[in-house]
Amino acid sequence: MDERLTIASAKANLEKGSLSAEALVGSCLETIKQGDKDVHAFLELSQTAIEEARAIDARRNAGEQLGPLAGIPVAMKDNMLVQGWESTAGALILEGHKGSYNATVTQRLKDAGAILIGRTNMDDAAMGSSTETSHWGPTKNPWDMTKVPGGSSGGSAAAVAAGFVPVSLGSDTGGSIRQPASLCGVVGLKPTYGRVSRYGLIALASSLDQIGPFAHTVEDAALMLQVIEGKDPRDATSVDLTQTTIPELIEKDVRGLKLGLPKEYFLEGMDPAVKKTVLEAVDRLVAAGAQIEEISLPHAEYALAAYYIIQPAEASSNLGRFDGLRYGYHSSGQNLKETYERTRGEGFGREVKRRIMLGSYTLSAGYYDAYYRKALKVRSLIKKDFDDALKIVDAIVTPTSPSVAWGLGEKFNDPLTMYLSDIYTITANLATIPAMSIPCGFVNDLPVGLQIMGKAFDEYTLFRIGATYQSLTDWYLRSPDTFST
Amino acid sequence: MKFTREEILQIAKLSRLHLEEDEIEEYRESLGSILEYVAKLQELKTDDVPELQHAAEVKNVFRADVVEGCDEEVRHRAIDNFTDKEGDLLKVQAVFEGRTE
C-alpha cells in the first residue's frame, strides 16, 4: 500500500523533527518539476516557498508556538488572490494581472503557517467541467493522461491526486470542487454558502461560489476548513458560525444516522458501473450501522435548467468589470466602446462569451421575468425539496458525477453534454447546502466519487460519514501508477 | 430554435463583445439550444413561489461612508496593474469623444 502525502503524516514528522519544512517543500517542488510536465496541474510555482519554509523551521527550532498548518505545502486555484502573484482565473483577459492584496483564505492559510506553493490550472474564468477551456492549456488526469481531470478546479484536484501536494484549495459554483475530486480520486468539499469568505476570490456567480479544500483524507479536509472558515467583515455574506470545525472531534461512527437516497438521482443517464460502485459504498455505510431511506427531490430535473439561467446571469454582471483598463489584457479600439468590445472579444474564450451573452439575454428587458425571475422561483422550490428531505434524513448520498473521467476533447464542442456532467452537484449550490465527494472505488481503473450532502452548516455530519467510510475502505490510499512512490 | 444574425449581434452589443464571423454562426446554434433546454422551467407553476434572493439569508450590512484609504503596498500594486497611467492615475480614452449614439 502506498503511503500518500497527507497533512497528518507530514505534521507528525515535522513535529518529531524527522522532517524539516524546507525538505518537505523542496521535495514537493522537485516532484512537481518532474511530474507536472505531463499533468500540467500548475501554472506557476512560488519563488519564495523555500525561504518561507526555512522561516517556519527557524521558528520551530526556537520553540515558538506554530499554526496548525506550519510548513504544510498548499496549492491555490488561479482565481484566489495572493499578493504579488499573477492571478488569471485561467483566462487570457487577466493575463499579467497580479494580486494587489491577499484573499481572506490566503491570509488565513499564511497565518496558520501554510506554505503556498503555486497556483493551479482551471477552466477559463471557472466556466467548464474539464479544465480544457483554460487559456493556458488543459490539465490531464493523473490516473490516465488521455483523460480530463474534471473542472473547473482540475489543477487543484490533479495536484493532490498526483501527490504533488497534500492539500489544495478550489472553488465550487456548480460542482467545480466535487466533480474534479470525484474524477481524480480525492476528497473535495464545498462548504455551506457563507461558511468561507469569498473576499479575494475572482467571482463567477456570487450567490453560488464557495471556496473549499481538496485532500486525501476527510480529516485533512476538515483541518483546512477549520483554518479558512468563519465570518469576515469584508464579505457580507460570510456568516458568524455557531459551530466551528474541530477535526479532532470527528466520530468514526455512523450508527443511527439516517441517509437519504434520492430516487430521482438514480433514474437515468448514469453509467451503470458508477451506479453499482456508489450503491456498494452505501452498503458499506449500512453495514456500519447507518439506515437508508429512499427520499424524493421532486424538482431535481429542473435544477440544471435553473442553474444555467442563474449562473450565466450572475457571471455576465460579474465579468462586466473586465474592461482592459485597470488590469489584464488590453486591445485598443478607435474609441472607448470599441476598446471594451475588442478587449473582451479577444480576451474571453468561447465558453465564457457564450455564458456572458446568455446572461445578458436572460437579464434583458422582456426576458427577465420569463427566465431570470422564473429561475429564482425554481431555486426556492429546489431548496425546499432539500429542506424537507433533510428533516427526515441526516444526510443525502448520491454519485458525484454520472460517469468517470472522459477523454480529452470528447465533450469539448458540445456545451449541453458538458453541462450534464454537473447534474448531481449543482443542486447543493442552488440549495446553499454543504456537499463533499469522497473516493469510493474504480470503474475501468478510473476513480468514482460518492457525494454526501447535508444540512446547512452541518459539515460535521459529512465529515463523520466520510471519515467512517475511509476507516473501512482504502480507496483513498491508492495512487496512480505513474505517481506511486 | 436558432437565433438570427441580428439577434446575436444585438446581444453581443449589450455584452460589449466583439465577435468574429464563425463565432456569430456558432452562437446562433448553441445559444438557441441552451435556451430551448432551459425553457423546461415553464412546465412548473410558480405564481405563489417566492424568489430565492439571498442565499445566506443575511441582512444588509451598513457602515459609515467614510474614506479610509488603503495600505500603501496594496495601492501601489493596484496601480501597477493599470494598462496605461499618468503618474498614479489611470489613463483612459475619452468617454464622450466620437460617440455616435
Side-chain angles (χ1 to χ4, degrees):
Chain A
M1 189 56 57
D2 294 309
E3 180 73 23
R4 303 240 61 180
L5 174 62
T6 62
I7 299 180
S9 65
K11 226 174 139 169
N13 290 325
L14 287 168
E15 281 166 9
K16 259 195 322 214
S18 58
L19 177 71
S20 68
E22 182 181 351
L24 173 61
V25 169
S27 102
C28 283
L29 288 171
E30 201 45 50
T31 319
I32 295 166
K33 277 170 198 155
Q34 295 294 322
D36 206 39
K37 284 197 265 301
D38 301 321
V39 181
H40 194 229
F42 283 90
L43 294 175
E44 195 174 20
L45 294 173
S46 165
Q47 299 299 312
T48 55
I50 289 283
E51 201 180 300
E52 291 164 28
R54 271 189 211 131
I56 290 283
D57 286 332
R59 288 176 55 198
R60 194 186 300 278
N61 294 336
E64 275 185 51
Q65 188 75 27
L66 299 174
L69 294 176
I72 302 294
V74 178
M76 306 290 279
K77 188 177 180 179
D78 188 34
N79 61 354
M80 295 162 202
L81 300 190
V82 179
Q83 191 174 57
W85 284 19
E86 191 166 336
S87 190
T88 71
L92 174 63
I93 201 146
L94 281 172
E95 184 179 40
H97 161 252
K98 286 188 173 174
S100 47
Y101 60 93
N102 283 326
T104 295
V105 291
T106 303
Q107 194 58 52
R108 289 186 178 172
L109 286 172
K110 282 176 176 273
D111 292 346
I115 310 296
L116 306 185
I117 205 157
R119 56 188 175 97
T120 58
N121 200 14
M122 57 182 283
D123 277 298
D124 191 0
M127 296 187 209
S129 310
S130 66
T131 315
E132 290 168 297
T133 68
S134 168
H135 178 74
W136 318 110
T139 295
K140 288 157 198 152
N141 191 314
W143 291 91
D144 179 343
M145 299 291 192
T146 67
K147 302 281 195 279
V148 301
S152 66
S153 315
S156 285
V160 174
F164 295 159
V165 280
V167 286
S168 60
L169 285 187
S171 62
D172 189 314
T173 305
S176 283
I177 292 173
R178 290 158 288 153
Q179 185 257 22
S182 172
L183 270 45
C184 288
V186 296
V187 174
L189 171 75
K190 180 204 88 76
T192 310
Y193 185 83
R195 189 163 197 117
V196 178
S197 167
R198 293 177 293 109
Y199 179 73
L201 172 71
I202 297 167
L204 169 52
S206 306
S207 80
L208 302 163
D209 294 344
Q210 195 59 192
I211 295 170
F214 289 95
H216 290 295
T217 66
V218 169
E219 285 90 343
D220 277 5
L223 177 57
M224 288 289 283
L225 183 64
Q226 180 184 38
V227 168
I228 61 173
E229 72 184 6
K231 176 85 182 159
D232 174 16
R234 290 171 152 150
D235 173 2
T237 63
S238 68
V239 169
D240 235 333
L241 299 170
T242 49
Q243 273 191 311
T244 56
T245 303
I246 306 171
E248 293 78 10
L249 294 184
I250 299 169
E251 278 175 283
K252 289 177 184 164
D253 183 356
V254 290
R255 276 176 295 177
L257 275 187
K258 268 197 199 164
L259 305 181
L261 277 182
K263 60 180 183 197
E264 291 83 1
Y265 279 49
F266 290 89
L267 289 178
E268 54 193 38
M270 193 191 320
D271 176 344
V274 167
K275 180 175 175 177
K276 184 168 166 280
T277 307
V278 167
L279 290 176
E280 279 166 9
V282 173
D283 285 344
R284 279 279 192 158
L285 291 166
V286 171
Q291 296 164 30
I292 288 295
E293 193 146 333
E294 188 183 86
I295 55 162
S296 175
L297 301 167
H299 299 95
E301 63 169 306
Y302 299 98
L304 195 68
Y307 180 81
Y308 274 97
I309 293 172
I310 294 168
Q311 192 256 54
E314 292 187 18
S316 73
S317 59
N318 272 328
L319 299 186
R321 66 180 62 124
F322 297 133
D323 56 9
L325 302 176
R326 290 163 300 151
Y327 37 72
Y329 182 85
H330 174 90
S331 179
S332 277
Q334 295 293 317
N335 53 42
L336 193 57
K337 181 165 172 280
E338 210 179 292
T339 296
Y340 291 150
E341 289 174 343
R342 296 216 157 269
T343 297
R344 292 163 59 81
E346 295 163 23
F348 288 128
R350 288 204 170 196
E351 178 62 24
V352 177
K353 282 188 269 190
R354 181 170 14 251
R355 295 203 205 178
I356 290 174
M357 297 212 304
L358 200 54
S360 300
Y361 180 78
T362 59
L363 289 175
S364 61
Y367 299 101
Y368 183 93
D369 283 337
Y371 290 106
Y372 187 65
R373 194 187 302 276
K374 184 81 180 181
L376 291 181
K377 288 172 171 232
V378 175
R379 187 174 180 187
S380 287
L381 293 173
I382 290 165
K383 184 170 191 305
K384 187 171 181 303
D385 283 354
F386 278 92
D387 291 346
D388 290 347
L390 287 163
K391 279 177 198 143
I392 305 167
V393 295
D394 298 297
I396 296 171
V397 285
T398 75
T400 306
S401 165
S403 74
V404 291
W406 59 88
L408 287 154
E410 211 173 287
K411 300 183 184 178
F412 193 62
N413 292 317
D414 185 354
L416 264 178
T417 307
M418 186 73 89
Y419 297 172
L420 280 167
S421 68
D422 295 330
I423 189 101
Y424 301 129
T425 49
I426 52 169
T427 46
N429 302 78
L430 291 171
T432 76
I433 59 174
M436 178 168 72
S437 180
I438 58 171
C440 74
F442 290 83
V443 167
N444 302 329
D445 297 324
L446 291 166
V448 177
L450 172 73
Q451 179 176 231
I452 313 165
M453 300 188 267
K455 298 181 180 96
F457 298 104
D458 186 20
E459 278 79 355
Y460 175 74
T461 298
L462 309 190
F463 292 145
R464 185 176 160 192
I465 297 165
T468 306
Y469 183 79
Q470 288 196 327
S471 72
L472 301 168
T473 57
D474 61 11
W475 306 117
Y476 71 102
L477 291 172
R478 308 215 179 164
S479 53
D481 285 342
T482 341
F483 298 98
S484 55
T485 41
Chain B
M1 172 174 163
K2 192 172 168 182
F3 279 94
T4 65
R5 190 189 149 77
E6 290 65 38
E7 284 170 323
I8 291 294
L9 289 174
Q10 174 61 20
I11 304 168
K13 188 179 151 204
L14 289 174
S15 311
R16 295 285 185 269
L17 290 171
H18 170 81
L19 298 182
E20 298 295 335
E21 278 307 316
D22 62 319
E23 292 178 310
I24 298 172
E25 275 313 302
E26 193 211 312
Y27 292 137
R28 286 182 63 195
E29 279 301 335
S30 68
L31 283 183
S33 63
I34 294 165
L35 284 168
E36 225 164 80
Y37 176 79
V38 302
K40 189 177 169 61
L41 298 188
Q42 305 308 328
E43 293 168 13
L44 288 169
K45 254 185 82 74
T46 52
D47 297 348
D48 304 326
V49 180
E51 297 151 34
L52 194 148
Q53 281 291 13
H54 219 295
E57 291 176 24
V58 290
K59 293 190 180 69
N60 245 338
V61 179
F62 293 98
R63 61 168 171 76
D65 186 17
V66 285
V67 178
E68 285 178 0
C70 83
D71 181 84
E72 212 27 44
E73 191 182 350
V74 172
R75 196 178 76 87
H76 277 298
R77 287 182 182 277
I79 292 167
D80 283 345
N81 275 318
F82 291 172
T83 315
D84 196 6
K85 57 182 172 253
E86 221 171 270
D88 279 354
L89 301 176
L90 174 65
K91 195 172 170 184
V92 298
Q93 285 163 295
V95 175
F96 295 106
E97 197 177 58
R99 274 182 82 109
T100 52
E101 52 192 295

